[in-house]
Amino acid sequence: MSDQTTGTTNVHLLVLIHGLRGNPSQLASMHRIIQQSTNESSKHQNGVGLHVMLPETNRGECTIDGIDWGGERVATEIYQEVKKLGKEGKTVTRFSITGHSMGGLLARYVIGILNQREFFSTVAPVNFNTMATPHIGLLLYPSTMSKCSSFIVPRFFSRTGKQFYGADKWSKTGKSLLEVMADPEHVFYRGLKLFPHIRIYANAINDWTVPYMTAYVDTKDPFINHTTSGLVVQYDATYLPIIRSFDIPDTPPPKHERAFPRPFTFKWFKSYRPPLPPRFHAPFPFNIILLILVPIILPALIILVSLRTRLLRSDLVTSLGSSRAERITSPLIWSMIRPASRCQSPYRFLSRAYASPLHKAGWLLL
């Protein structure tokens, strides 16, 4: 938490939410930059001080419980923070929220909870921002890697994984959570429309986890053939990595024949880059070492994740008894119990704590 509200009674609450299996420390740089860029003249703009909050309870393996459970945890923390500030004689009058990756989906769910509970009747929504958030879920491409991912993710990441691929039936009508959150008739969408400033940021290239189309909510990817399409990009003068505009000519430039070295020659080995994100590319000879290690590292990671998933179930068996645990085969039921036994949070059994405003609404209202 950071507080720049000294000498003020009105507070602008800014909430920063991390992504899948993350923790608040991953947003430490963003938090630091916010503090540095908020100079003395803007700290108390219009008599309102900035208060930054990084939710603590929805971290690590708690994020695989589902977007709905995570959103409820974050919403509960927000209400507690507002109450805490109230005891200090401060009133939250403005509200902004920023989410990274899965944190953006949590932010959308949180807004639905706040909207349903009429939070915005006394607090003015200001900014909604997301970065590399899979707004329309993880897309299924006609590739082996995508098919493998669609098989593995829902199994390794419990309810969250299913929700990423729209494989859940969150509402009584059988709609997935992402479908419901995108429905203009429901509280999530209506709450989002209350924000006067909505900004979504997507990685144009090299993001294998959250590609451009789902992060930017677009039906086409203009950057997919950026090396051959003649794409012209204009960058932001102040923040160079940000693209301000781009243009693709109607007629692509003529293709130039590129001389590739013959396979398995010294030049080929020297220039080879394994089919991995750019951060894992390395110069010769490390690129070859990495290529050799991939068949070892990848299965090892899959085994580690599988073992961790098994350990989570073992904890459930220990806390509930083997006979009862064996009867729990539904990921939904498992996730409703897991937060009480695994997630280090004071908000146990959230649906009982405050009638789970939207988790139950999925069954009662839709």
Side-chain angles (χ1 to χ4, degrees):
M1 307 290 176
S2 72
D3 200 341
Q4 297 173 353
T5 62
T6 305
T8 65
T9 56
N10 294 331
V11 173
H12 182 173
L13 178 61
L14 169 60
V15 180
L16 308 179
I17 309 177
H18 60 75
L20 183 67
R21 287 190 175 276
N23 61 75
S25 66
Q26 294 177 344
L27 298 179
S29 294
M30 181 188 296
H31 189 190
R32 174 178 51 79
I33 292 170
I34 290 172
Q35 290 178 302
Q36 291 175 350
S37 60
T38 308
N39 54 44
E40 291 298 329
S41 62
S42 62
K43 275 184 182 179
H44 302 153
Q45 187 176 14
N46 299 323
V48 180
L50 179 67
H51 180 83
V52 182
M53 170 189 170
L54 287 81
E56 294 282 347
T57 56
N58 193 55
R59 58 166 68 209
E61 63 198 27
C62 295
T63 57
I64 70 172
D65 286 334
I67 297 164
D68 44 1
W69 276 107
E72 290 180 7
R73 277 192 284 266
V74 173
T76 301
E77 279 199 76
I78 290 173
Y79 274 103
Q80 291 202 341
E81 192 70 15
V82 170
K83 186 177 180 180
K84 176 185 173 184
L85 290 169
K87 291 180 178 178
E88 297 173 1
K90 300 171 184 177
T91 303
V92 174
T93 58
R94 308 178 75 187
F95 179 83
S96 295
I97 191 165
T98 295
H100 170 247
S101 192
M102 177 190 169
L105 295 177
L106 293 174
R108 287 170 57 190
Y109 194 94
V110 166
I111 287 171
I113 293 178
L114 300 180
N115 186 34
Q116 189 195 46
R117 299 187 69 180
E118 299 182 349
F119 179 81
F120 299 123
S121 63
T122 57
V123 178
V126 181
N127 299 304
F128 175 86
N129 309 300
T130 64
M131 299 166 292
T133 291
H135 285 290
I136 56 177
L138 298 182
L139 306 179
L140 185 58
Y141 296 93
S143 67
T144 303
M145 181 70 73
S146 181
K147 290 177 181 178
C148 290
S149 176
S150 67
F151 177 82
I152 293 172
V153 170
R155 287 162 176 79
F156 283 169
F157 295 104
S158 189
R159 296 182 66 239
T160 299
K162 290 181 182 296
Q163 290 169 353
F164 279 165
Y165 278 98
D168 59 310
K169 294 182 179 180
W170 192 80
S171 73
K172 189 177 180 180
T173 58
K175 288 185 178 181
S176 68
L177 176 58
L178 292 184
E179 286 183 274
V180 174
M181 289 171 64
D183 191 332
E185 299 299 319
H186 293 298
V187 287
F188 306 102
Y189 193 95
R190 294 202 306 267
L192 188 58
K193 286 180 66 177
L194 297 175
F195 285 77
H197 307 291
I198 298 176
R199 302 177 182 88
I200 56 176
Y201 297 90
N203 290 314
I205 59 174
N206 297 329
D207 193 335
W208 288 23
T209 309
V210 185
Y212 170 85
M213 287 195 296
T214 185
Y216 203 66
V217 196
D218 204 342
T219 56
K220 295 181 180 179
D221 186 349
F223 304 98
I224 193 166
N225 296 316
H226 66 281
T227 57
T228 58
S229 65
L231 179 74
V232 178
V233 174
Q234 296 293 330
Y235 291 100
D236 187 279
T238 305
Y239 304 101
L240 187 60
I242 296 180
I243 297 175
R244 300 296 300 180
S245 64
F246 61 87
D247 180 64
I248 302 177
D250 296 332
T251 304
K255 295 182 179 179
H256 299 283
E257 294 291 333
R258 290 189 297 173
F260 290 98
R262 294 180 61 184
F264 306 110
T265 62
F266 178 75
K267 287 185 177 180
W268 182 85
F269 280 114
K270 195 170 182 179
S271 62
Y272 179 79
R273 294 293 181 268
L276 295 171
R279 71 174 64 182
F280 297 110
H281 290 177
F284 182 83
F286 299 105
N287 58 341
I288 304 303
I289 295 173
L290 188 59
L291 176 63
I292 295 171
L293 290 177
V294 163
I296 301 172
I297 295 173
L298 189 59
L301 288 174
I302 293 174
I303 291 171
L304 284 173
V305 174
S306 301
L307 288 174
R308 188 158 184 82
T309 304
R310 297 284 295 180
L311 286 172
L312 290 176
R313 185 168 182 82
S314 297
D315 287 346
L316 180 63
V317 171
T318 302
S319 15
L320 298 179
S322 58
S323 60
R324 186 180 174 193
E326 285 302 320
R327 294 196 297 271
I328 298 175
T329 56
S330 165
L332 171 62
I333 298 175
W334 184 14
S335 68
M336 290 174 68
I337 295 173
R338 266 198 56 246
S341 58
R342 289 290 301 179
C343 297
Q344 300 302 310
S345 166
Y347 320 116
R348 299 182 174 183
F349 289 96
L350 289 172
S351 59
R352 296 181 186 178
Y354 60 89
S356 186
L358 294 177
H359 182 75
K360 286 189 174 180
W363 292 97
L364 299 179
L365 302 180
L366 305 179

